[in-house]
Amino acid sequence: MKYLPWLGLALLLQVVLSSPEVFWFLSPAQLWLLVVVAFARRTQPAKAGWLGLFGGLAADGLRGLAIGPSGIAGALAGAAVAWTSAVFELGGPLFWVGGTFLAAFVVEVITAVLYLSLGTRPPHGVIGAAAAVAGTALFALVVAAGEWWWGRTFSPEARRRRALRRR
Amino acid sequence: MARLAFRPDLALALACLGLYVATAAQVRQGQGTALGFAFQSLSQPLVVGTTQLVQAAKDWASGRQDWEAILAELQDLRQQVARLSEENQLLASELLVLRQGHQLLAAFPSLQEQAVLAAVTARDLLGSHTLTVDRGRIHGVTRDCPVLGPEGVLGRVDQVTEKTARVQLLTHPAAAAAAQIVGVEGEALLLGGERPRLEGLPPYTQVPPGSHVVTTGSEGVYPPGLPLGVTGEPKLGAMFTEVPVKLSARAEAARVVMVLRRQRP
């Protein structure tokens, strides 16, 4: 439940990114996926899938699309990331970049497949999907760098190192 | 009572299936669903508000930049005004100096050849009764050179350096000059001080007040005929007639003076 506020914040930022005042190449990024990926690190695939489902539904609603495809894709993406990180024991920047890349890729592929299976065109083509994957992975890089800096500055190991250096 | 318990993964799969059906319905209908409209009406104000917020933040940043630029420009303009005001004062001062120099040259045209115009750089009219001018030895100024203002004799040079000279005014207690009252026989000695006076005139000499006093040159410092001042009410002494003199030259107003170089024998 503690991830729900973060999900709301990510969706709000998603709206901000779609504003005409922000750089246009940031708008395809799906920030809500970052929250799903963060949740999927230490949880079961099904639970991560539920968060992905809610996040995807909200994203569909915010974009004015048919409500459902992104929810299904988000559920599958969350479950896939949770399963992958558990199996391959991913952590650190690799988890963030790899997990987000995987999640964004799954979401784009599943969404496209769902729309095509219903006999309609997906909301965007290959270039749009690639932009969404790249934009989301870019934000994952930023998050990974932030986490690395945070750990380097505020972790107990860093504090001990600083204390030893003072002596 | 029977209890239904779903496995979370199974429940997720069922939810996804339901969503797929719902999506299919939305796609088939093509006009949007009530849920879609609800989402739209909820999210649209959010989108618009966020856009306005971002725009406001951008406007604020832009306004702040403009404000800083205006402040910097104002500071720059203030500095320019201060500089221009200073230049204006200097120009006015130089103009005054030029005017006085012109007046001096016009007042004594016969002395132009030996004249050196000098600007007054310092003055002490009440203490040492001196002026300091910006011309010195390298300009041909020597000790005892006469110094004139536009109205008449100011004094003589008593100290000289390479580039400056000090002028002892006629108001100095030790100053003196050989003088003559225009229209009166005999030579007198003008003695300086706070109340300059003429001494050495024979007793009972009739001196009309307001008569002009000029130099005679017999002391070897001042050329003859230069105006010194005008006489006041004479006092008859036992041996001499003492005549107060109001000096013509006003040292307090002098910005430029004329130093007369001494002719080498």
Side-chain angles (χ1 to χ4, degrees):
Chain A
M1 287 297 284
K2 69 174 182 179
Y3 280 84
L4 281 179
W6 286 105
L7 190 62
L9 181 66
L11 289 166
L12 194 66
L13 284 176
Q14 185 92 41
V15 175
V16 172
L17 289 185
S18 66
S19 164
E21 306 298 332
V22 182
F23 294 117
W24 59 270
F25 58 85
L26 295 176
S27 58
Q30 308 206 49
L31 292 182
W32 59 276
L33 270 180
L34 289 173
V35 182
V36 175
V37 169
F39 185 59
R41 178 151 51 173
R42 295 189 190 89
T43 190
Q44 296 168 356
K47 286 185 179 173
W50 277 107
L51 189 72
L53 187 139
F54 289 130
L57 288 179
D60 272 344
L62 284 178
R63 286 185 174 182
L65 302 173
I67 296 169
S70 291
I72 299 169
L76 288 175
V81 172
W83 181 81
T84 308
S85 71
V87 169
F88 295 102
E89 296 180 352
L90 295 178
L94 181 63
F95 165 78
W96 278 108
V97 178
T100 308
F101 193 85
L102 175 67
F105 184 76
V106 168
V107 163
E108 292 304 320
V109 170
I110 297 295
T111 307
V113 168
L114 284 173
Y115 274 106
L116 289 174
S117 71
L118 292 170
T120 185
R121 291 170 66 85
H124 47 248
V126 177
I127 293 177
V133 173
T136 313
L138 178 72
F139 277 97
L141 264 176
V142 174
V143 172
E147 190 189 50
W148 173 80
W149 174 81
W150 183 269
R152 185 183 163 82
T153 310
F154 298 109
S155 69
E157 290 85 357
R159 283 179 188 161
R160 276 199 292 276
R161 264 201 303 276
R162 277 201 296 272
L164 285 171
R165 212 175 295 145
R166 272 189 225 113
R167 290 175 193 171
Chain B
M1 198 167 110
R3 186 179 171 192
L4 291 174
F6 286 108
R7 285 171 52 191
D9 47 356
L10 197 60
L12 183 63
L14 279 174
C16 286
L17 188 63
L19 276 178
Y20 183 72
V21 174
T23 307
Q26 291 173 64
V27 169
R28 290 283 183 274
Q29 193 182 14
Q31 294 177 348
T33 60
L35 188 60
F37 285 127
F39 250 118
Q40 281 283 323
S41 39
L42 279 176
S43 63
Q44 203 57 34
L46 190 66
V47 173
V48 172
T50 308
T51 304
Q52 285 176 349
L53 202 65
V54 172
Q55 180 66 41
K58 205 171 177 181
D59 287 348
W60 184 79
S62 170
R64 188 175 171 181
Q65 277 182 352
D66 288 350
W67 172 250
E68 285 172 357
I70 286 169
L71 278 182
E73 198 174 344
L74 180 65
Q75 184 74 18
D76 192 35
L77 285 174
R78 278 182 180 158
Q79 285 176 354
Q80 278 187 24
V81 167
R83 196 171 58 245
L84 286 173
S85 173
E86 191 178 339
E87 284 178 6
N88 193 27
Q89 285 182 357
L90 287 173
L91 285 173
S93 170
E94 284 178 12
L95 185 64
L96 186 64
V97 165
L98 284 172
R99 278 183 183 161
Q100 285 201 356
H102 179 71
Q103 280 177 1
L104 269 170
L105 290 173
F108 304 103
S110 61
L111 301 173
Q112 284 186 10
E113 284 187 9
Q114 50 180 319
V116 176
L117 288 179
V120 176
T121 56
R123 67 181 82 191
D124 180 13
L125 304 181
L126 299 175
S128 61
H129 298 274
T130 55
L131 297 177
T132 307
V133 296
D134 65 346
R135 291 289 183 267
R137 197 171 292 126
I138 60 171
H139 305 101
V141 177
T142 56
R143 188 179 155 88
D144 286 338
C145 279
V147 179
L148 310 180
E151 300 89 1
V153 177
L154 278 167
R156 65 177 182 90
V157 173
D158 70 338
Q159 285 181 11
V160 189
T161 65
E162 287 298 308
K163 293 181 180 174
T164 62
R166 195 178 78 167
V167 180
Q168 184 194 65
L169 298 171
L170 285 177
T171 54
H172 193 281
Q180 184 185 18
I181 302 169
V182 176
V184 176
E185 285 289 325
E187 193 181 36
L189 186 64
L190 176 73
L191 296 174
E194 291 180 355
R195 290 178 185 148
R197 63 205 179 277
L198 281 172
E199 288 187 358
L201 287 169
Y204 305 110
T205 305
Q206 295 297 318
V207 179
S211 300
H212 290 276
V213 181
V214 296
T215 55
T216 61
S218 59
E219 84 287 297
V221 174
Y222 301 104
L226 296 178
L228 286 168
V230 291
T231 57
E233 196 66 38
K235 292 179 196 170
L236 297 176
M239 297 180 66
F240 301 108
T241 300
E242 188 179 309
V243 182
V245 175
K246 185 183 179 190
L247 297 175
S248 301
R250 293 184 303 126
E252 70 275 8
R255 302 289 298 273
V256 178
V257 296
M258 180 188 278
V259 183
L260 299 179
R261 284 176 293 198
R262 293 175 69 79
Q263 303 284 350
R264 290 184 180 173

